[in-house]
Amino acid sequence: MPDSFFATKSRKRKRVNFKDSGTSSNSRKVLKTSNGRVSAKTKVKTKTRKADEDLHSDESGSQALDDLDLRADEVDPNESGEEDAGETPAEKRLRLAKLYLESVKEDLADGEVDAAEIDKELISARLKQDVLEHAGKLHLLLADSFDFSRPPPTLRTRGHRFSVTSAVASSDARFLFTSGKEGSIIKWDLLKGTKLATFPKLRPGGGKGKGKAITETPGHSDEVLTLALSDDGRYLASAGKDRRVGVWDVEKGEWTRGFGGHRDTISAIAFRKGTLQLYTASYDRTIKLFDLSVMGYVQTLFGHQDCILGLDALRAETAVSVGGRDKTVRFWKIVDETQLVFRGGGRSSIRELLEGGGLADFEEEGGKREDQAGKKYVEGSLECVAMIDESTFLSGGDSGSICLWTTQRKKAIFTHAVAHGFNETVSETEGLIRTPCWITALGTLRYSDLFASGSWDGHIRLWKVDPKSKSFSAVGNFPAPGVINSLQFVSPRKGSLDEASWARLETPADVSPTLKGLQSKKLGPILLVAGMGQETRLGRWVNVKGDGVRNGALVMALHPRTLS
C-alpha cells in the first residue's frame, strides 16, 4: 500500500488554483496542444496575467496576505549617495581609490605644512604605511624623533599605602587609573593630576576565608594586581588575588560586572586592540577570553605548565603569554585553537653542544669558552612579555636579559644580557654577591621601534628596535627610583595635552618654523606611564627604600626632537 504522505503530495502539485476565474481548464488545454506555437504561448501569457490580477484582487478582498511580499526594498546604510546603480565593480574601486587619495591629500595638507610639499613621495609613503599598518607589521620608526638626552616633564601621583601594581591611562589622555596592593583602585584626572574617585577594598561576605568569589560584590576583596583599559575608553578591567575579573564604567566610575571562573590568582589581563574582547591569565595556568560587548565568557586556553605571569595582545585574534618557571613564551592563535611554543631560559653547555649551539663561543686555541660578561646567568623564570607587532614580541626574566622573538623562529633572534645592571648584596660568608636585576616590566609603543623596560635599578631604559626587527639598542634612560611594576605607552591625539600644564615643554626660540610645522604635524607628545612601588608586583622578594621612592604612578611626556 503506498504511503499516504507521498499520495497527498501527488494530488497537490497544482501551484495556482484558478477556480474563481474559470480559466484553469483553458490554460491546461493550451499547454497540452501548444507544441511550440507562438499564438498559444501569447494566449497562455494573457490568460495567466488576467488570472493573476483576479487572484490578487480576490486575496486583497479576503485579506489573504501570506503570499504577498510586504518587505521594503533593502537599503544599504553604508551606500554612498554618489554611487550609480549601474556602476561596475571596476568603476567602484576606481571611485573609492580617488576618494582615498583625496582624503590623504587633505590630511597631509591640513595644518602648517605648505601645500607645495604634498607630492608623490609623501603620498607614496602614506600608502606604504597604511599597507603595513593593515598587515600588522612594524611601520612607525619614531625612536630617532625624540630627544632622550634631558629629563621630560613628569607627573607623580601619590595615594596608595602599598606598592602600585599597575597604572594605565586612557587613549584620549583624560583619565589615569592606578591599583595597589592594599586592594584599592584610584581614578585620576590626567590633565590636572588630581584624584577623582577611589574604589576601596571590600570585605568579602559569606563568612571567614576567601572561599568562592561572590560575583555580586561590587568591588575587589583582595590585592588588585593588574588593570586594562579598552581602546574606546568605555570599560576598565581589573583583577587580582580574589580570582575575579571586575569591569568598571569609566565615565560613571561604577562597578558594571564581575566574572569568575579562574581557580587561582589572576596575574595579567589585556584587551584586544580595537575591540571589547578581554584576555585574562591566572596562576591556574589557563587563559580565559571574555567578550564585554555581550558581557559573556567565550573560551579557555590551556598549555602552560606553571603560573602565567604576563600577557599581551594586539589587533589580531592572537595573544602572547609567559609561563613563569616553565620558561616558555606561548603565541596563541585563538581562531585556530593552536599555540606556538618558544622556550627561553638558560641551558647547560652539554645541551647546547648536542643541539649544535654554543660552538661559536669556543676559541680555536685551546678550545676554551669565551664569555664576554665573565659569567653566565641562567634564567629561571620569565616575568613579563610585550608585543611590538603581530609577529614580533619581547620577553624579560629574572636573569636580567631582554629577548626579541619572532613567530618565524623558535629561538630568540636577539638577546641583551643584564639590561639593568647588577644588584649587589654583602654576605658575611661569601662577601660581595652580584646578581642581575630582574626585568619587572616591559612596554611598547604599538607597531613602532620604541619600547621601554623597568627593574629596580632606579632607571627606566628606552630601546630602539632595528628597522628589520633583528636586534635592538639602548637610546636613553630616565631616573625612576623604586620598583617598576608596569609600563605603558599612550599616543594621544594632537591637542589632547594642551590643557595639561605639567606636560608643557618650552620650545627653543631658534627652531626653524618649517621644521616646527612639519614635526607638529607628523608627531605629537606621547606618554610613558609607569606604576612604581617599594616592592615587586607579585611578591615581597625585593624591598627598595631611599630618597624619592614612592608608591604611586609616574607619567612622562615625551616630546619630539627639535633642531636649533
Side-chain angles (χ1 to χ4, degrees):
M1 181 176 180
D3 194 350
S4 58
F5 174 79
F6 295 101
T8 304
K9 293 293 289 184
S10 61
R11 290 195 302 268
K12 292 186 178 181
R13 295 186 62 180
K14 303 176 184 177
R15 298 200 313 181
V16 180
N17 187 8
F18 301 103
K19 219 179 243 186
D20 299 335
S21 60
T23 57
S24 176
S25 58
N26 294 334
S27 300
R28 287 196 299 269
K29 184 176 180 181
V30 171
L31 289 174
K32 289 180 181 179
T33 60
S34 59
N35 294 328
R37 290 180 297 179
V38 178
S39 59
K41 289 183 180 180
T42 306
K43 186 176 181 180
V44 171
K45 290 182 180 179
T46 305
K47 291 188 176 183
T48 305
R49 188 179 298 111
K50 292 180 180 180
D52 291 340
E53 292 175 357
D54 295 338
L55 177 63
H56 286 296
S57 62
D58 294 340
E59 287 179 348
S60 61
S62 59
Q63 296 185 355
L65 303 178
D66 294 339
D67 295 333
L68 295 180
D69 189 5
L70 300 179
R71 294 175 297 178
D73 295 338
E74 295 183 359
V75 179
D76 187 3
N78 299 324
E79 186 178 359
S80 173
E82 300 178 358
E83 184 174 356
D84 188 6
E87 189 178 30
T88 64
E91 292 174 347
K92 183 177 181 180
R93 288 194 294 267
L94 180 60
R95 179 176 57 82
L96 295 177
K98 289 181 179 180
L99 291 175
Y100 174 74
L101 289 176
E102 290 296 330
S103 64
V104 170
K105 289 181 180 180
E106 291 177 1
D107 292 341
L108 293 174
D110 187 17
E112 302 177 4
V113 183
D114 188 5
E117 298 176 356
I118 305 173
D119 54 5
K120 294 182 180 180
E121 294 182 0
L122 287 176
I123 296 177
S124 176
R126 174 64 180 272
L127 294 176
K128 291 180 181 178
Q129 179 178 340
D130 289 347
V131 170
L132 291 174
E133 183 177 359
H134 183 72
K137 297 181 180 179
L138 186 150
H139 60 278
L140 299 175
L141 304 178
L142 304 178
D144 293 333
S145 302
F146 292 90
D147 184 12
F148 304 118
S149 60
R150 55 181 178 177
T154 59
L155 171 67
R156 288 180 176 269
T157 64
R158 193 171 185 177
H160 291 277
R161 289 190 300 139
F162 299 135
S163 295
V164 170
T165 57
S166 181
V168 293
S170 59
S171 58
D172 56 0
R174 291 178 55 200
F175 303 114
L176 172 70
F177 291 89
T178 58
S179 62
K181 282 191 173 183
E182 74 278 358
S184 65
I185 300 174
I186 300 180
K187 179 182 179 181
W188 306 83
D189 187 333
L190 187 55
L191 300 179
K192 300 179 181 179
T194 57
K195 184 188 298 186
L196 297 178
T198 301
F199 312 127
K201 173 184 174 181
L202 301 179
R203 179 173 297 179
K208 298 181 179 180
K210 294 181 180 179
K212 294 185 177 180
I214 302 176
T215 57
E216 299 299 330
T217 305
H220 289 282
S221 59
D222 210 331
E223 297 181 14
V224 181
L225 300 179
T226 179
L227 298 175
L229 269 170
S230 60
D231 278 354
D232 58 2
R234 290 176 56 192
Y235 295 117
L236 169 73
S238 59
K241 286 191 174 182
D242 60 357
R243 301 172 292 175
R244 197 159 55 129
V245 180
V247 181
W248 306 79
D249 189 295
V250 172
E251 292 290 340
K252 298 179 181 179
E254 298 177 352
W255 175 273
T256 301
R257 179 71 185 272
F259 294 101
H262 281 292
R263 306 177 67 179
D264 208 337
T265 298
I266 301 175
S267 56
I269 58 177
F271 274 100
R272 180 186 165 199
K273 187 175 176 63
T275 68
L276 293 178
Q277 294 182 6
L278 179 67
Y279 300 96
T280 63
S282 171
Y283 280 10
D284 63 5
R285 300 175 292 178
T286 65
I287 296 176
K288 293 185 181 295
L289 175 59
F290 298 90
D291 190 352
L292 300 190
S293 61
V294 295
M295 288 294 171
Y297 159 80
V298 179
Q299 68 181 90
T300 302
L301 308 175
F302 300 89
H304 276 289
Q305 303 301 314
D306 195 49
C307 301
I308 304 176
L309 303 182
L311 176 70
D312 199 11
L314 286 181
R315 191 178 301 276
E317 292 188 76
T318 57
V320 63
S321 61
V322 289
R325 295 199 173 274
D326 71 357
K327 294 181 286 188
T328 62
V329 185
R330 296 179 185 258
F331 186 86
W332 305 87
K333 299 180 180 180
I334 309 300
V335 177
D336 299 337
E337 297 184 354
T338 59
Q339 56 184 289
L340 302 177
V341 182
F342 305 89
R343 303 196 179 275
R347 301 189 179 193
S348 63
S349 302
I350 298 177
R351 182 66 177 269
E352 289 184 353
L353 289 174
L354 291 176
E355 293 185 357
L359 295 176
D361 296 334
F362 282 84
E363 297 179 344
E364 294 181 0
E365 297 180 0
K368 294 183 179 179
R369 192 185 188 98
E370 181 183 0
D371 196 347
Q372 297 178 357
K375 187 175 181 180
K376 189 174 183 179
Y377 295 92
V378 177
E379 193 167 47
S381 174
L382 294 178
E383 300 288 326
C384 50
V385 67
M387 297 188 73
I388 297 176
D389 58 27
E390 302 295 352
S391 60
T392 311
F393 49 92
L394 299 158
S395 69
D398 59 359
S399 66
S401 60
I402 302 176
C403 298
L404 178 65
W405 305 82
T406 179
T407 55
Q408 306 301 321
R409 293 184 58 183
K410 284 203 168 185
K411 293 184 179 180
I413 58 178
F414 184 79
T415 301
H416 192 291
V418 197
H420 281 261
F422 293 93
N423 181 36
E424 298 182 351
T425 57
V426 179
S427 174
E428 296 180 356
T429 58
E430 300 184 5
L432 182 64
I433 300 177
R434 302 179 68 197
T435 56
C437 295
W438 303 352
I439 307 300
T440 56
L442 288 171
T444 62
L445 184 59
R446 306 302 193 185
Y447 304 107
S448 78
D449 60 343
L450 181 64
F451 74 92
S453 62
S455 186
W456 63 81
D457 64 331
H459 292 86
I460 295 176
R461 302 187 185 272
L462 292 104
W463 310 82
K464 172 189 173 183
V465 181
D466 181 77
K468 296 183 179 180
S469 300
K470 299 295 183 182
S471 63
F472 58 86
S473 58
V475 293
N477 62 81
F478 298 133
V483 181
I484 302 170
N485 289 320
S486 70
L487 286 171
Q488 179 201 20
F489 277 99
V490 178
S491 181
R493 293 177 179 266
K494 183 184 174 183
S496 300
L497 297 176
D498 291 346
E499 299 180 3
S501 59
W502 63 268
R504 293 173 185 170
L505 180 67
E506 295 183 0
T507 305
D510 54 353
V511 174
S512 171
T514 304
L515 179 61
K516 180 180 177 182
L518 284 172
Q519 289 181 345
S520 63
K521 174 59 186 173
K522 292 182 180 179
L523 293 177
I526 61 175
L527 299 179
L528 176 58
V529 184
M532 310 288 297
Q534 297 178 347
E535 300 174 348
T536 54
R537 181 173 68 100
L538 300 176
R540 305 187 66 182
W541 303 285
V542 178
N543 195 337
V544 179
K545 294 182 179 180
D547 296 337
V549 179
R550 296 180 181 178
N551 296 323
L554 178 64
V555 185
M556 301 180 181
L558 306 180
H559 290 263
R561 185 190 303 274
T562 56
L563 299 178
S564 57

